[in-house]
Amino acid sequence: MKKFNKHIGLIILALLLSSANILSQSKIYPGLFTSERNNFEFEIAEIRFVGNNSFGAKELMRAITTRTTSRNPIHQLLQMFYTEGLKNKTTPKTILKYLKKDLIGFEKELVFFEQSIAERDTMSLLNFYNKNGFHYSQVKFTFRPDSLNKKNILTFYIKEGRKNLLGDIIYNGLDNLDNEISSKVEDLKTIKSGDNFSEDNITSEMISIRNYLVNNGYYYSNVFKPLVKLNAKNQDSVVITFNTGKRYKVGKVFFIDSLRGQNVIAGDLKSNLLDIREGEYIRQIDIDRTQNNLFNLSTFDIVKIDTSSMFAPMKDSILNFNILTQYNKQQNWGIGFFLNQLANDNPDILNGGIQLDYTHKNLWGAAQQFKPFVKTFIRDLSQRPFEKIYNGELEYALGFNFQQPFIFNFDKWRFGLSSSPQFIRSTRNSLILNTINIPFRIPIKLPEFTIFTNAQFELAFENQNPENYEEALKKENLKSDSAKKYEILYDNLNKYKHSGVSHLFTSNLISFTISGDKRNHPFQPTRGYYINLNTEFAFSAGDFWGGLARYNKTQLNINYFTPLATNLTGAFKLRLGHISFFDNTNQYIPIERQFFAGGANSVRGWEARRLRYSNLLKDSSNTFLQEFVGNSSIIEGSVEFRLKFVAPDNYDEMIAYNINNSGLVGFFDFGNVFGWFVPDDKTPNDFSKLALAGGFGYRYDTPIGVIRLDLAWPLYDPLGIKQTSMNDLQFHIAIGHAF
């Protein structure tokens, strides 16, 4: 070992000596252009790399710290005014004073040459090449003026030399693993002798093996920095040493609660949320999931999990755990404005209003969340919001949300219960619609190893009553459009409510949803997928219980995200859905559950709810019904390219903040809805008649979400009504990405 260390020391010394020799060859040329802001400093306008055959300039830039001067447009404009003002002797000194003061605020954007930093970057490049197998590389720099463009250029000249290959790869410390674990570890050894040497690849393999070990009982497994030496073939032989320790199982688990004046959560509930279970091999991933499960109760500020012998002695190959929890405030009052999508609304419906609520996060000691609320709001802000306020078309809601996070488990499936009964009173022109909705949901947490992560059963009962249908119809008789709209939407419902038989509900719904969410971020994903499959049945339950709606609705949503390049993400969406009726003579379905297309979250070349395939639209007298009457089938998809801006490191802080929060999106949408619920529509379903639209948009991140501005054009209209022209340009403002 001493001989080996001596050998490594000689190699390092040789590299340092050669580096010193290389640095002595670096040169700073005379005639450099001084900075407009400081006559004793030289700004770096450009950084170049010469001889870098194996790595691109962007990759090498990440290895060094020097950056170029990067004046933002405002800085450039102020500098121009200040420079010209100095040349013009009639410029008032007060103006020059304020211009100079403003320019001082942008000084961080200026980068002046420092030889010591350039020399350090030279060493960084040598180290970068050395880590990637180029042990004989040479680097020097020059800093010279470009007389033609009147700027200073820092150039790094690189001689890469020979790239070493990997020789033997020796793993020490893995001999005592269990046979099953040992076999899996062998599968993780993907680097082979003869591969190109890369420290990053070696490190990645070491981390993969260690992660597997700590997730299979070897809780204290560790790995040391690899040793590298040249073999007789001038290849890099690598020695990697692990200290796996014993394989441990979970012992006792104890909770230590810091209540801070709050009500304690029952120990049984907390125990049922543990993924670390007594007698099982310790897995770090189970510890992390346990921590997430407890955090998701929303009752803790801090959850820490660690081994301990405080309450029980450690046994051979068994570790006990303490879970420290710090409680947060369990009761709150709130009032404020909101923008959101209500349950059962179509994706393009954005509602806004004001809400007063009270929240209790531990009602009966088992983390039951109870939230009564009252609110008033405007439904679908994209459609005539100011006209709705003027006409009093407001909606009022009174209800509560209740959630019991855990009821029972089956193996690693966890079942909960939630409900959100509410009464909504809507004023739509002259019509008053009262709705009582009583849903019961059983959320299910699925094991993480499947493509699906969550499931939910729902049983919902709804009573809709057009309170003044006949009176409203008479008031609207002069407006044939509104009268026809009321008849299509509410005539069957009104007859059912006044049939002479008392019905408790107008809709009884049972549904099942299964979803998988493997996105790396819920609001700004750059990789992963989200999939949601839902099927819903509306049924009749006799005269007393009632049930006018009788249908099946099934829909599938798939969103997929993948990085395409640095700061560029590809995003794809597909949505399919269909409604079928058990009785074709009764096609009543609440408007909230019908399919619509067009709008900010749909095919953006059309206004919200204004896209469908129906020959009735060729007669302009029917177009008013598009906003109010939905469809039985939907096919919809989108492709987006999302570019995130990144400001140069030395930009002014405020300007850099705004640049980093901005981005551009190019998109292509396709889709349509079919089977319009207008009685006169006889258009046969032709699912090949998909509308096409394209466009681009601007994104800006805010604390409430992404503000989205999109411009879109229809590229193809199956009905031939819309054309690709500026007259059909659609502009959308929304919160959050389209998907």
Side-chain angles (χ1 to χ4, degrees):
M1 181 59 71
K2 290 183 178 179
K3 184 177 180 181
F4 174 76
N5 289 335
K6 181 179 179 182
H7 183 69
I8 292 297
L10 289 173
I11 292 177
I12 294 173
L13 180 61
L15 285 172
L16 291 174
L17 290 173
S18 64
S19 300
N21 183 53
I22 291 165
L23 289 175
S24 68
Q25 298 173 27
S26 299
K27 187 173 181 180
I28 303 172
Y29 284 77
L32 293 167
F33 296 97
T34 57
S35 171
E36 293 176 305
R37 301 275 287 281
N38 189 331
N39 292 330
F40 299 98
E41 299 285 357
F42 309 104
E43 292 183 30
I44 302 174
E46 184 180 348
I47 297 176
R48 294 177 181 174
F49 299 94
V50 178
N52 51 313
N53 300 318
S54 301
F55 303 99
K58 287 185 177 180
E59 195 168 2
L60 295 180
M61 282 296 297
R62 289 194 289 268
I64 65 175
T65 58
T66 301
R67 294 294 180 263
T68 60
T69 286
S70 299
R71 289 180 173 84
N72 69 73
I74 297 175
H75 188 176
Q76 293 177 29
L77 192 62
L78 290 174
Q79 184 67 57
M80 182 189 71
F81 286 146
Y82 182 69
T83 302
E84 294 301 319
L86 289 175
K87 295 177 182 178
N88 189 343
K89 295 183 179 181
T90 62
T91 304
K93 292 183 178 180
T94 303
I95 293 179
L96 291 174
K97 177 182 177 182
Y98 280 108
L99 285 173
K100 185 176 181 179
K101 184 179 179 181
D102 290 338
L103 285 170
I104 290 174
F106 294 105
E107 284 188 348
K108 288 183 179 179
E109 298 182 0
L110 305 179
V111 178
F112 302 119
F113 175 78
E114 292 187 36
Q115 183 171 346
S116 61
I117 295 177
E119 291 173 351
R120 189 164 64 240
D121 284 340
T122 303
M123 294 299 299
S124 296
L125 289 170
L126 280 170
N127 183 57
F128 173 82
Y129 272 92
N130 185 54
K131 286 170 56 177
N132 285 279
F134 294 91
H135 303 318
Y136 306 99
S137 60
Q138 299 178 17
V139 181
K140 67 177 181 179
F141 73 86
T142 62
F143 188 51
R144 67 170 69 194
D146 179 349
S147 302
L148 182 62
N149 297 300
K150 294 185 178 180
K151 63 180 183 180
N152 303 320
I153 301 174
L154 175 62
T155 304
F156 292 95
Y157 293 90
I158 300 167
K159 291 184 179 180
E160 293 184 341
R162 177 172 59 85
K163 181 175 177 63
N164 275 23
L165 301 179
L166 272 172
D168 298 327
I169 306 174
I170 302 170
Y171 282 91
N172 293 327
L174 300 177
D175 301 331
N176 297 322
L177 298 176
D178 293 356
N179 291 336
E180 180 184 353
I181 302 300
S182 181
S183 176
K184 180 60 180 178
V185 167
E186 288 300 318
D187 293 338
L188 294 173
K189 297 178 181 178
T190 57
I191 300 176
K192 307 298 181 185
S193 177
D195 291 349
N196 288 328
F197 179 87
S198 169
E199 277 193 20
D200 290 341
N201 291 343
I202 294 170
T203 302
S204 178
E205 182 168 294
M206 291 162 50
I207 292 172
S208 295
I209 294 173
R210 182 185 178 276
N211 286 343
Y212 179 75
L213 293 174
V214 298
N215 284 309
N216 283 276
Y218 294 93
Y219 184 63
Y220 293 117
S221 177
N222 201 2
V223 61
F224 299 98
K225 185 176 180 179
L227 300 176
V228 182
K229 64 178 181 179
L230 294 175
N231 63 18
K233 298 179 181 180
N234 279 330
Q235 295 176 325
D236 290 324
S237 294
V238 182
V239 179
I240 301 172
T241 301
F242 277 84
N243 181 9
T244 61
K246 294 181 179 180
R247 194 178 187 192
Y248 290 96
K249 290 186 177 181
V250 179
K252 302 292 184 181
V253 180
F254 302 94
F255 285 93
I256 303 174
D257 295 319
S258 175
L259 297 177
R260 303 171 73 194
Q262 305 301 310
N263 296 327
V264 67
I265 293 175
D268 287 347
L269 171 69
K270 291 183 289 187
S271 296
N272 282 313
L273 295 178
L274 300 181
D275 277 346
I276 50 175
R277 300 177 180 180
E278 187 174 357
E280 294 184 355
Y281 283 112
I282 298 174
R283 296 175 4 123
Q284 183 63 49
I285 192 172
D286 289 337
I287 296 173
D288 295 339
R289 288 173 181 167
T290 295
Q291 191 174 39
N292 289 334
N293 292 342
L294 293 170
F295 268 127
N296 288 339
L297 293 178
S298 301
T299 55
F300 303 120
D301 283 333
I302 297 174
V303 177
K304 291 184 177 180
I305 304 175
D306 204 352
T307 58
S308 175
S309 58
M310 182 184 299
F311 300 109
M314 298 285 194
K315 297 181 181 179
D316 187 46
S317 301
I318 293 178
L319 297 177
N320 302 321
F321 285 87
N322 284 350
I323 301 179
L324 172 66
T325 60
Q326 179 176 288
Y327 284 57
N328 57 29
K329 190 176 180 181
Q330 294 177 352
Q331 300 183 59
N332 292 287
W333 287 91
I335 184 171
F337 295 96
F338 68 88
L339 290 170
N340 67 5
Q341 177 190 345
L342 299 181
N344 301 320
D345 274 344
N346 283 278
D348 261 320
I349 297 181
L350 181 67
N351 312 287
I354 187 170
Q355 174 172 307
L356 171 67
D357 57 54
Y358 162 79
T359 303
H360 198 308
K361 295 189 287 188
N362 188 23
L363 187 61
W364 296 314
Q368 298 94 346
Q369 294 191 25
F370 177 67
K371 184 177 183 178
F373 62 85
V374 59
K375 58 187 174 185
T376 180
F377 60 95
I378 301 173
R379 187 185 295 271
D380 195 0
L381 292 174
S382 67
Q383 300 292 327
R384 309 172 288 106
F386 298 108
E387 182 183 336
K388 288 178 180 178
I389 295 174
Y390 179 78
N391 293 332
E393 295 182 48
L394 301 177
E395 305 201 18
Y396 306 90
L398 174 68
F400 67 87
N401 298 324
F402 175 81
Q403 181 178 357
Q404 172 62 67
F406 177 83
I407 300 177
F408 66 93
N409 60 14
F410 175 75
D411 192 25
K412 292 191 176 182
W413 297 30
R414 291 191 176 89
F415 295 77
L417 176 67
S418 67
S419 183
S420 52
Q422 62 178 327
F423 168 76
I424 301 176
R425 184 176 179 85
S426 308
T427 303
R428 302 179 181 180
N429 295 120
S430 301
L431 180 72
I432 297 175
L433 181 67
N434 296 322
T435 303
I436 297 175
N437 185 269
I438 307 174
F440 299 94
R441 306 180 187 92
I442 300 178
I444 307 168
K445 181 67 175 177
L446 303 178
E448 296 274 343
F449 57 81
T450 64
I451 64 170
F452 296 104
T453 54
N454 296 280
Q456 178 174 278
F457 286 103
E458 180 175 357
L459 182 63
F461 307 102
E462 185 174 272
N463 187 320
Q464 282 196 322
N465 180 27
E467 181 179 297
N468 60 338
Y469 176 77
E470 299 293 345
E471 179 184 345
L473 202 61
K474 291 176 183 178
K475 285 184 180 180
E476 297 292 336
N477 270 341
L478 295 177
K479 301 177 183 178
S480 59
D481 289 359
S482 297
K484 188 173 182 179
K485 174 186 69 177
Y486 288 162
E487 289 175 354
I488 293 174
L489 292 177
Y490 304 115
D491 189 60
N492 282 345
L493 180 61
N494 183 67
K495 289 177 180 178
Y496 186 72
K497 295 292 292 184
H498 298 87
S499 62
V501 179
S502 178
H503 304 292
L504 194 58
F505 298 105
T506 55
S507 297
N508 308 302
L509 305 170
I510 185 170
S511 68
F512 175 72
T513 302
I514 187 168
S515 62
D517 190 351
K518 295 296 179 72
R519 296 171 295 180
N520 61 342
H521 193 282
F523 307 116
Q524 295 272 30
T526 57
R527 66 173 69 248
Y529 67 85
Y530 174 79
I531 182 170
N532 181 288
L533 175 63
N534 169 267
T535 186
E536 171 183 295
F537 294 90
F539 60 93
S540 174
D543 289 338
F544 172 72
W545 197 265
L548 172 62
R550 302 171 190 176
Y551 65 86
N552 166 242
K553 176 183 177 182
T554 301
Q555 61 178 328
L556 171 68
N557 293 277
I558 300 174
N559 299 338
Y560 178 74
F561 309 90
T562 184
L564 300 177
T566 304
N567 305 319
L568 180 64
T569 300
F572 172 78
K573 176 189 79 171
L574 178 65
R575 183 185 180 202
L576 306 173
H578 180 69
I579 299 169
S580 58
F581 293 93
F582 301 137
D583 180 1
N584 287 328
T585 63
N586 169 22
Q587 295 197 350
Y588 169 73
I589 178 172
I591 185 174
E592 293 84 3
R593 289 178 162 81
Q594 300 172 20
F595 291 121
F596 292 87
N601 296 328
S602 180
V603 183
R604 281 163 277 191
W606 276 257
E607 298 175 82
R609 299 187 172 201
R610 294 284 174 165
L611 171 63
R612 55 185 35 79
Y613 182 67
S614 171
N615 291 324
L616 288 181
L617 295 180
K618 295 179 180 179
D619 181 352
S620 60
S621 64
N622 292 308
T623 56
F624 75 96
L625 290 170
Q626 294 184 92
E627 180 183 340
F628 307 102
V629 184
N631 308 264
S632 64
S633 300
I634 186 169
I635 300 175
E636 193 175 81
S638 295
V639 178
E640 287 193 349
F641 299 94
R642 301 173 181 175
L643 177 65
K644 184 79 172 175
F645 292 158
V646 178
D649 295 338
N650 55 333
Y651 256 33
D652 174 75
E653 185 175 345
M654 182 58 67
I655 292 176
Y657 174 82
N658 287 289
I659 291 175
N660 290 330
N661 283 338
S662 299
L664 291 178
V665 171
F667 57 83
F668 171 77
D669 302 328
F670 62 91
N672 220 326
V673 285
F674 309 86
W676 200 9
F677 290 135
V678 174
D680 299 334
D681 184 31
K682 306 300 180 184
T683 308
N685 290 340
D686 184 350
F687 297 126
S688 67
K689 302 297 184 179
L690 300 180
L692 307 178
F696 59 90
Y698 171 74
R699 305 289 184 266
Y700 186 81
D701 295 344
T702 72
I704 64 171
V706 176
I707 301 296
R708 174 159 53 98
L709 309 177
D710 284 336
L711 288 174
W713 291 265
L715 302 177
Y716 171 68
D717 181 357
L719 293 174
I721 298 174
K722 281 186 174 288
Q723 306 295 325
T724 306
S725 67
M726 291 300 294
N727 293 332
D728 288 320
L729 173 69
Q730 295 296 320
F731 178 63
H732 301 285
I733 303 177
I735 297 177
H737 283 292
F739 57 94

